[in-house]
Amino acid sequence: MKRPWAGQVEKPPEEHIPRFDPHNPLCPGNTRANGEVNPDYDSTFEFENDFPALQPHAPDPGSCQHPLFQSKAARGVCKVMCFHPWSDVTLPLMKKDEVVKVIDKWTELVEELGSTYPWVQIFENKGAMMGCSNPHPHCQVWASNFLPNEPALSDRCQRAYYQKHGEPLLLQYAKQEAERKERVVVESSDWLAVVPYWATWPYQTLLLPRRHILRISDLTADEKEGLADIMKRLLTKYDNLFEVSFPYSMGWHGAPTGPHLKDDNSHWQLHAHYYPPLLRSASVKKFMVGYEMLALEQRDLTPEQAAEKLRNLPDEHYKTREKQETGGEDKEGMK
């Protein structure tokens, strides 16, 4: 962190995004690349990705006898889900009840796609720095006919811990972190957000429920309310760190679905990962290169230091504070 920096400097995220852009394919009433016109939606809106990475009828690649060249058809569906009709808001600036509607839609999609597919991946790439091609608040939901690498590894590790200790790994982990406090960023009666003990990204966080929950579709109405609240609190602290719309990639992991719905998945615990790239400022990010690509990830600051920095930040969003100081419009109040 003290090393002189003369390397790449990122362009700060755009702070003045128009609320409606007639050329933005995600805005209400606009035409997308495939010619379809979006409805004049006033809440969440989901549709089939116009450029899907997975398709339900992908051709079978055929068999190969050599063990080094094995492949199978990767089939599935890809959906895009808009959080809000306005392009100039993000999750921390939305009303709590609007974030609950996002969670409700996530639940609906997991139940719908999970009735058939073994894995349903909800993920959000926020900010151009994380490859987001459109500033409108949205996420993606991909369902696949196979268990991808990261969830498969998570499944093996959680299963091994459960078989050895008789309780879910992440449930015990949440209890330990709640007692120790040193890596806790925000918490409530139902939820806990920590910079995990094993974090490698500078301000990486792990969001966990306090009770044993397999999938997001198992949340109660009160737990969804609590989730909306803690997401707003966590993401507000992210934005306040460098007073910028904080870029990240996030995603939910829960017990596999489809044919696995009948299996005993007691070893699983629902959780969300947040991976932000920023390190020193709004324009200097962490680079996973060299030794980190070829040998082992390196920490630029400890999880305890990162958690303390985030924890001590204000709960009020810097944009809300600026609006109040200048007497301008408060986006969170949706005036």
Side-chain angles (χ1 to χ4, degrees):
M1 290 290 285
K2 295 178 180 178
R3 179 166 57 107
W5 184 258
Q8 180 172 318
V9 176
E10 307 294 328
K11 180 182 177 182
E14 178 60 53
E15 288 290 305
H16 302 289
I17 297 170
R19 180 158 294 177
F20 174 80
D21 181 350
H23 303 293
N24 188 326
L26 297 187
C27 284
N30 286 355
T31 303
R32 302 202 308 274
N34 63 356
E36 291 190 17
V37 178
N38 297 334
D40 289 320
Y41 64 93
D42 58 6
S43 181
T44 60
F45 167 55
E46 56 95 0
F47 59 91
E48 298 277 345
N49 196 316
D50 298 328
F51 304 96
L54 293 167
Q55 298 184 29
H57 305 294
D60 193 313
S63 61
C64 178
Q65 299 303 314
H66 199 287
L68 296 181
F69 301 96
Q70 296 296 306
S71 61
K72 294 181 179 179
R75 299 188 175 102
V77 295
C78 299
K79 290 181 177 284
V80 176
M81 175 186 149
C82 296
F83 297 153
H84 196 280
W86 296 356
S87 293
D88 60 343
V89 297
T90 54
L91 285 170
L93 289 168
M94 289 166 54
K95 287 181 177 180
K96 179 180 171 181
D97 66 303
E98 292 171 332
V99 180
V100 171
K101 290 178 181 178
V102 170
I103 298 166
D104 284 338
K105 179 58 72 170
W106 284 343
T107 300
E108 180 184 315
L109 288 170
V110 167
E111 289 179 336
E112 173 195 334
L113 299 172
S115 64
T116 304
Y117 290 100
W119 188 252
V120 181
Q121 182 62 64
I122 298 167
F123 66 97
E124 179 193 5
N125 294 326
K126 180 170 177 271
M129 199 179 297
M130 297 307 290
C132 181
S133 60
N134 193 306
H136 195 88
H138 72 285
C139 71
Q140 297 188 55
V141 183
W142 293 13
S144 60
N145 69 334
F146 60 94
L147 201 59
N149 292 355
E150 291 297 319
L153 177 60
S154 183
D155 182 73
R156 290 198 299 273
C157 292
Q158 290 183 88
R159 187 185 299 275
Y161 185 93
Y162 188 83
Q163 289 174 345
K164 183 176 181 179
H165 300 281
E167 65 176 327
L169 183 157
L170 289 176
L171 190 62
Q172 172 59 213
Y173 178 70
K175 291 176 183 176
Q176 289 293 320
E177 289 287 27
E179 291 176 6
R180 296 167 186 255
K181 299 292 185 185
E182 58 189 342
R183 285 174 292 271
V184 174
V185 178
V186 289
E187 61 181 325
S188 68
S189 59
D190 293 323
W191 295 92
L192 185 75
V194 303
V195 177
Y197 181 72
W198 54 84
T200 51
W201 290 96
Y203 296 99
Q204 175 180 337
T205 53
L206 180 69
L207 180 56
L208 294 157
R210 289 182 184 267
R211 77 172 178 96
H212 190 198
I213 299 175
L214 298 185
R215 304 175 182 89
I216 198 168
S217 52
D218 297 327
L219 295 175
T220 66
D222 286 344
E223 286 167 339
K224 290 179 182 178
E225 292 272 348
L227 176 56
D229 181 70
I230 206 163
M231 283 173 60
K232 279 176 59 66
R233 290 169 60 196
L234 173 63
L235 299 181
T236 292
K237 288 183 179 291
Y238 269 164
D239 284 6
N240 284 344
L241 181 62
F242 299 127
E243 294 200 344
V244 69
S245 186
F246 210 65
Y248 58 74
S249 280
M250 73 80 64
W252 285 98
H253 281 175
T257 51
H260 303 288
L261 289 170
K262 298 178 181 179
D263 298 342
D264 181 3
N265 289 294
S266 300
H267 56 291
W268 264 94
Q269 174 72 333
L270 175 71
H271 58 283
H273 296 282
Y274 285 85
Y275 298 118
L278 294 180
L279 173 59
R280 300 181 179 212
S281 68
S283 57
V284 177
K285 68 178 183 179
K286 177 178 177 63
F287 290 88
M288 289 279 195
V289 296
Y291 187 89
E292 293 174 307
M293 291 180 71
L294 299 165
L296 182 70
E297 297 92 341
Q298 298 298 292
R299 289 172 169 173
D300 300 271
L301 68 168
T302 68
E304 295 77 19
Q305 290 171 324
E308 184 178 16
K309 282 188 176 184
L310 291 172
R311 185 170 58 243
N312 291 338
L313 289 166
D315 291 324
E316 182 182 33
H317 198 281
Y318 76 94
K319 285 189 176 181
T320 303
R321 185 179 68 249
E322 288 174 355
K323 291 294 183 182
Q324 291 173 345
E325 290 172 354
T326 60
E329 182 185 78
D330 180 0
K331 288 178 182 175
E332 188 175 12
M334 302 293 280
K335 295 176 182 176

